[in-house]
Amino acid sequence: MSPPAAMYEPATNGSTTATIPTAKMATMPHTTSVPVGGATKPQTIEEMAGKWSDFRFNPIRESQVSRAMTRRYFTDLDRYAESDIVIVGAGSCGLSTAYVLAKARPDLKIAIIEAGVAPGGGAWLGGQLFSAMVMRKPADAFLRELGIPYEDEGPDANFVVVKHAALFTSTVLSKVLQFPNVKLFNATAVEDLITRTDSAGNIRLAGVVTNWTLVSMHHDDQSCMDPNTINAPIIISTTGHDGPFGAFSAKRLVSMKHDNLPTLGGMRGLDMNTAEDAIVKGTREIAPGLIIGGMELSEVDGANRMGPTFGAMALSGVKAAEEALKVFEQRRAECAEPESKGVKVGA
């Protein structure tokens, strides 16, 4: 049964309809936001209404704006240079992964790297230019977890429909960003993977190499700009199928001749019935320290594409988080091994 839609009923005082006073503005839907810090009493939208002729913003100096942004950004760069988990790609799978991880383990530092300015990947529209988002059951469980209303056509229906894909995407994005242990670095590309070789010659992942996306796109026509790095014992790659930034981690494993992925399987044609099951079941640790989920797996395993149905993206994210938590402590211990040789690494 789908969550109930919001309904309007006139106020009554028993048997007669009561007069409802006209407000300056309609009631705002969100009333739970509170300022963090600060000593002044915040003004309400209702108090502002109808007083625009005398309206003034608080005075500011332009440098204050610059410092307010850059101070926080560079503090985050410093804090997340040593992360616990890095998620590459903030599409529907990556965001679902981040939500489950951050909720389950508030003690972990989780960095999300997204090449686009706008997170969400292809999940802002349901398919082509059609706005509704279709999710096959039982992925509706994740919608209920997030509190997203949907239409269910009955017990015999095999899918549910969210009225607009942007409702799903904006909801999971807002919930992820409210976790204090998550930082999203958008307009940032992963250019390479940090690797370590153990005594047996096996390669494992130990972080990502990053650059601003605009720089990554222009290495060939501008002077090369060296990148930045984030160390982490686990990387979860959800960059989608092959494209300018798609299937990045999978393609990089192939190019470095990693034993675990000597060649790409290559995405097959569209078959919803096989594709979604294959993506969820196939979500796993591909190489030590690297978990791959979502449509990037189609390039790894030669799975079919599924087109405009999104249940596999959400549940692949749930499974990716589960897989990460299974191996996290082991991978963290491996990344701390240099300390035994006198090399200090971050916690």
Side-chain angles (χ1 to χ4, degrees), residues 76-83 86 111 113 185 188-194 196 206-211 226-232:
D76 286 334
L77 281 179
D78 180 75
R79 180 185 179 197
Y80 287 90
E82 282 281 352
S83 292
V86 171
I113 312 298
F185 296 96
T188 304
V190 171
E191 291 192 335
D192 207 346
L193 303 171
I194 299 174
R196 297 283 187 267
V208 294
V209 179
T210 67
N211 216 327
D226 281 333
N228 202 356
T229 58
I230 298 177
N231 282 106

Side-chain angles (χ1 to χ4, degrees), residues 57-294:
F57 280 106
N58 289 352
I60 199 167
R61 187 169 178 80
E62 289 77 7
S63 60
Q64 290 178 281
V65 176
S66 180
R67 285 171 171 162
M69 293 187 299
T70 58
R71 181 172 62 249
R72 287 165 174 80
Y73 188 83
F74 285 104
T75 296
D76 286 334
L77 281 179
D78 180 75
R79 180 185 179 197
Y80 287 90
E82 282 281 352
S83 292
D84 293 306
I85 295 177
V86 171
I87 298 171
V88 187
S92 48
C93 182
L95 291 173
S96 299
T97 304
Y99 173 82
V100 175
L101 278 173
K103 182 179 179 182
R105 291 290 301 271
D107 58 310
L108 299 183
K109 288 190 293 184
I110 302 166
I112 308 174
I113 312 298
E114 166 56 41
V117 172
W124 290 108
L125 287 171
Q128 199 164 319
L129 294 178
F130 310 133
S131 56
M133 173 178 276
V134 175
M135 279 200 177
R136 290 168 62 198
K137 296 178 179 178
D140 52 323
F142 193 64
L143 296 176
R144 291 191 294 276
E145 166 70 21
L146 295 172
I148 298 174
Y150 57 80
E151 299 174 33
D152 188 335
E153 296 181 1
D156 296 328
N158 295 324
F159 61 90
V160 300
V161 182
V162 179
K163 70 176 183 178
H164 201 297
L167 177 59
F168 168 83
T169 307
S170 60
T171 301
V172 66
L173 178 61
S174 67
K175 288 182 179 293
V176 165
L177 293 180
Q178 288 180 60
F179 285 110
N181 58 325
V182 174
K183 172 59 183 180
L184 168 67
F185 296 96
N186 49 326
T188 304
V190 171
E191 291 192 335
D192 207 346
L193 303 171
I194 299 174
T195 63
R196 297 283 187 267
T197 304
D198 63 21
S199 57
N202 300 313
I203 297 174
R204 59 178 173 78
L205 281 297
V208 294
V209 179
T210 67
N211 216 327
W212 285 313
T213 302
L214 289 176
V215 174
S216 292
M217 294 172 65
H218 289 277
H219 280 316
D220 293 337
D221 55 40
Q222 296 288 335
S223 297
C224 179
M225 183 182 294
D226 281 333
N228 202 356
T229 58
I230 298 177
N231 282 106
I234 290 185
I235 313 303
I236 303 176
S237 190
T238 63
T239 63
H241 54 72
D242 199 4
F245 294 100
F248 173 82
S249 297
K251 291 187 289 188
R252 188 67 184 96
L253 282 189
V254 172
S255 68
M256 69 172 66
K257 304 185 187 305
H258 197 288
D259 291 341
N260 292 36
L261 192 61
T263 184
L264 292 180
M267 184 174 63
R268 303 295 194 263
L270 192 150
D271 184 340
M272 290 182 180
N273 286 296
T274 62
E276 291 208 277
D277 291 352
I279 293 301
V280 176
K281 290 178 179 178
T283 301
R284 65 194 186 278
E285 188 178 33
I286 300 295
L290 177 64
I291 293 167
I292 294 184

Side-chain angles (χ1 to χ4, degrees), residues 24-49:
K24 295 178 183 177
M25 295 189 67
T27 302
M28 302 297 287
H30 306 295
T31 59
T32 57
S33 296
V34 294
V36 178
T40 59
K41 179 181 179 298
Q43 193 174 14
T44 67
I45 292 293
E46 179 72 19
E47 290 169 341
M48 294 183 198

Side-chain angles (χ1 to χ4, degrees), residues 198 204 330 332-343 345:
D198 63 21
R204 59 178 173 78
Q330 179 184 350
R332 179 159 66 174
E334 291 170 350
C335 284
E337 285 177 359
E339 290 190 358
S340 63
K341 302 175 183 178
V343 179
V345 298

Side-chain angles (χ1 to χ4, degrees), residues 2-21:
S2 63
M7 298 183 66
Y8 169 76
E9 294 182 358
T12 64
N13 56 5
S15 58
T16 60
T17 300
T19 301
I20 302 175

Side-chain angles (χ1 to χ4, degrees), residues 298-315:
S298 65
E299 304 290 353
V300 173
D301 295 335
N304 294 90
R305 64 185 298 182
M306 78 249 342
T309 176
F310 291 83
M313 297 300 97
L315 295 189

